[in-house]
Amino acid sequence: MFAYPIFLNLLFTVIQMKSRFLLLALLVLVIIQSCTYDTDEIYERELNHPSSPPEITTVDLSFSMEEDTIILMQNSVLFHFQTSENEVQRVDFYVDDTLVGSENSENGIFELNHDFINGGYHILRIEVITNSGTGSIADEIGLEGYSFSTREWVFKVLDGSSNNVTTMVEDGFLKLVWDIPNDEVTEYIVYRGYQEVGRSAVNSFIDKGYVGEGEEFRIEYIGPNNTDPQYIGYVELPNEMAITYFANKNNKFAIQWPQPRYYAAVDSVVVFAEELVYETTKYVVDVNVGEYVIPKYFFGKEHSYKIMHIPKYYNPEYEDYLGSGGWHEFAFSNEIHLIVGYPSPIFNYMEQINNTELFYHTNRYSNSDYTQNDSLFTYSFTNEQIVSRYRYNPANFGSMNDNIMKIALSPNKEFLTAAVGYTGRIMYCPVNDPSDYSIHTHSSLNANYATRTPISNNGIGLLYGSGKKVLYNFINDEEIDFVETNTSYSDYNISFDGKYFFLDVSHTIDLYQLIDGEISLIDEVNQWSYDFGIDYFEFHENEPDKAVCYDEETKVFNVISLPALEILKSFSIPEEEVLDVNYQTNMILSGSDGLIVVRSLDDGSLVTEIPNELQFTSYGSLRLIGNSLFWKDGARYFLD
């Protein structure tokens, strides 16, 4: 509360005495009094609504945003970014995903600290951090705002001069220039490594054979006063051959490289492609093309690529390489290991959950990295970003008995079940909040095995027990009924409404119905007893009392009624097998040797076909989701 009487007395005194000193005291007191708070009151800072994310404009940068590979002649990056609204708080610089420093400004020069960088090529990424515009304390001190990440660049920092020798490019060739010694010179001698490559009467030399493979050049001279070569200096140049992987939504997959620095010296570029294990194929590409386009039929395959610049003129190292049949070493670019396709999540299990999102489970974060760090993700396949993530077990957890596997989602994508290790326990949770899980056990479940538990839209699950197959209500945590059987089944599932389930053994489907809380066998269905084949059999995902099936011999796809088992609709699918049915997009995914086909679920009409060499070793490894195919190893193919 303000002290108004004190204020008025002081003001009167100031008017009488006209004292500057007291006037200053008055102002200080007013400020102090105006900042006085009552201890029993609540004072709130006025905040603005967060602004929409601003647009970031690159005003200036040491290199182009369009470049894939950059050569930094010095260890610094010139930058200048602007935003449409919010203030730039800082710019972060990452090398190989490690934060190496920040600048608290929208423009300036950042000195790259590359003491920790071991030779070769590295990845540079820049992040621009802006405030949020709310005016909160967190916003003021930089704990709240927007983050914008640039593209990534492959880079190498070069130092063009060393010990009196400078390098440059002249007419597409390497030119060496060095200091003139304080002595009379007859001629200069140029060494590449340990081999003499030329002599010059002037203090420069153009090496037409050098193609950027990386080498040390040494300069010496002889003169009338020095018949023995005298040392001037040297320069060590790094390997400048670099490639990147390119993929777009038009299904163009390519290995790309920048124009060679010493382009006039390069005759062609050879791409070394390991497309089959221990087999390397060579492709010769014109030096001006700058890319090798990977054929689309390799979608989903694991490949390795590297390139070599082929010299147009004499190069002693390359001649030794040819003469030795490849045993003598000559420089390659960096080698890229990739899965052919548009990069996408690596998954063990994946389902489309709505028109824009999919749900997936993985314990792999690279194609060679298997861990017990199982995570459940929601991923926007339209925005290509993770929406949510839940990890059931702690990071780097090592026990096989506390990770999740054998995921199953209800047809309406509301419920999830998973086996918890090899313990006989089942995890049950809502798909949109896996943290709200419960753990269920049943006497029939074998503690040494992990089995999948299909679940219906009303929470009824089918437990694959030892000696029993049990219908179990996860919502009420109670057993409904069971079937006694010790048979080992290759497949099993439950209908979306919980009315039916099947057990598949060899070429026979044991089809059951739940009536008034009791299980009843409808029939043992096989291709000899009915006019439809069952090489593929599943319940319809959103139409009651229906199932779909496919006969690999007759190539006929059927929609049948339940429990009557009468054919409602039939059409031909010429492919060898049905791989997936997506009821949200109303499409069927089928395949034959060398071919992937997408057809309409209405009548089997062709949507698109893709020549391909994938081997479908397990159901669910290739998923038809939205307008794309998703391969388990992290590749996506966009449909027309």
Side-chain angles (χ1 to χ4, degrees), residues 178 184-189 196 198-202 220-224 232:
W178 51 88
E184 188 174 350
V185 176
T186 301
E187 63 180 349
Y188 299 96
I189 307 171
E196 179 183 326
R199 298 197 175 201
S200 174
V202 297
E220 296 180 354
Y221 75 93
I222 56 176
I232 291 180

Side-chain angles (χ1 to χ4, degrees), residues 381-431:
F381 57 82
T382 54
N383 295 332
E384 299 175 37
Q385 62 183 20
I386 292 173
V387 177
S388 66
R389 174 181 182 176
Y390 177 71
R391 178 176 293 180
Y392 170 72
N393 53 19
N396 301 316
F397 197 82
S399 171
M400 288 293 290
N401 289 330
D402 212 13
N403 61 293
I404 54 175
M405 59 185 74
K406 306 289 185 180
I407 309 295
L409 264 62
S410 60
N412 63 0
K413 316 305 186 245
E414 291 187 7
F415 302 119
L416 175 148
T417 62
V420 181
Y422 298 96
T423 63
R425 295 181 293 160
I426 304 296
M427 173 185 175
Y428 164 77
C429 64
V431 170

Side-chain angles (χ1 to χ4, degrees), residues 122-264:
H122 300 271
I123 303 296
L124 172 66
R125 187 178 82 254
I126 302 174
E127 288 191 1
V128 181
I129 313 298
T130 75
N131 63 12
S132 65
T134 63
S136 69
I137 294 175
D139 188 26
E140 297 267 342
I141 64 176
L143 298 179
E144 179 180 276
Y146 295 103
S147 175
F148 300 86
S149 184
T150 66
R151 59 165 301 157
E152 294 183 343
W153 295 272
V154 176
F155 83 97
K156 176 68 179 181
V157 177
L158 300 181
D159 185 354
S161 62
S162 174
N163 293 321
N164 308 318
V165 183
T166 302
T167 67
M168 61 187 67
V169 180
E170 184 173 292
D171 298 327
F173 296 107
L174 169 66
K175 183 176 183 179
L176 302 165
V177 180
W178 51 88
D179 294 344
I180 299 175
N182 296 323
D183 198 355
E184 188 174 350
V185 176
T186 301
E187 63 180 349
Y188 299 96
I189 307 171
V190 181
Y191 295 89
R192 181 196 294 186
Y194 297 102
Q195 299 187 58
E196 179 183 326
V197 292
R199 298 197 175 201
S200 174
V202 297
N203 65 320
S204 64
F205 178 78
I206 292 179
D207 186 349
K208 290 189 174 183
Y210 183 74
V211 292
E213 67 270 25
E215 189 58 271
E216 179 182 301
F217 288 86
R218 188 175 77 258
I219 311 299
E220 296 180 354
Y221 75 93
I222 56 176
N225 301 324
N226 297 288
T227 55
D228 293 329
Q230 301 297 304
Y231 175 77
I232 291 180
Y234 79 97
V235 62
E236 185 173 355
L237 297 180
N239 183 340
E240 297 178 43
M241 296 183 235
I243 59 174
T244 56
Y245 177 58
F246 173 85
N248 66 17
K249 296 180 182 179
N250 294 321
N251 301 315
K252 177 182 177 180
F253 316 126
I255 299 300
Q256 296 184 336
W257 53 89
Q259 182 188 47
R261 192 173 186 80
Y262 311 102
Y263 57 88

